[in-house]
Amino acid sequence: MTPPILDDNLLAHRLAALASLEAAILFAARALVNTFPAINKALRPREPPEISTARDLVDQCEHFLAALDAHWRVVAARLPDGHPNRSKYDHIPF
């Protein structure tokens, strides 16, 4: 069974919310990496706890972005064929 097509206003709100959430998660992850550059290095036995928790938080951001992408695909499946937001990857040139 094909899910119903979303109304344009509801669709615009959902897409805007998803885009905003994605931007916020990316901003948080980048802020953590810039604040704690040591999280990009290998785990050290006696590193400060704020480094290890920042590393964990960035990892969780990556998991959350993957889940958000999966949700985007479900929402996009309800868009009509040819809709410009059917795939958020249409603009990638490769």
Side-chain angles (χ1 to χ4, degrees):
M1 183 168 133
T2 305
I5 301 300
L6 295 175
D7 142 288
D8 284 344
N9 289 333
L10 179 60
L11 175 64
H13 286 13
R14 286 188 181 177
L15 294 177
L18 292 174
S20 297
L21 183 56
E22 181 180 36
I25 295 166
L26 287 169
F27 180 81
R30 288 178 182 156
L32 283 164
V33 169
N34 286 324
T35 304
F36 302 101
I39 65 175
N40 288 322
K41 298 178 182 171
L43 182 66
R44 297 215 168 107
R46 286 181 234 177
E47 71 182 3
E50 62 269 15
I51 300 298
S52 60
T53 56
R55 183 181 293 115
D56 290 342
L57 187 52
V58 170
D59 288 344
Q60 292 303 314
C61 285
E62 290 176 11
H63 291 295
F64 195 31
L65 287 170
L68 185 62
D69 186 58
H71 180 66
W72 174 273
R73 292 175 193 277
V74 170
V75 171
R78 297 182 68 185
L79 298 173
D81 289 338
H83 190 282
N85 291 317
R86 177 91 185 192
S87 172
K88 68 179 184 175
Y89 304 107
D90 286 345
H91 65 282
I92 297 175
F94 49 88

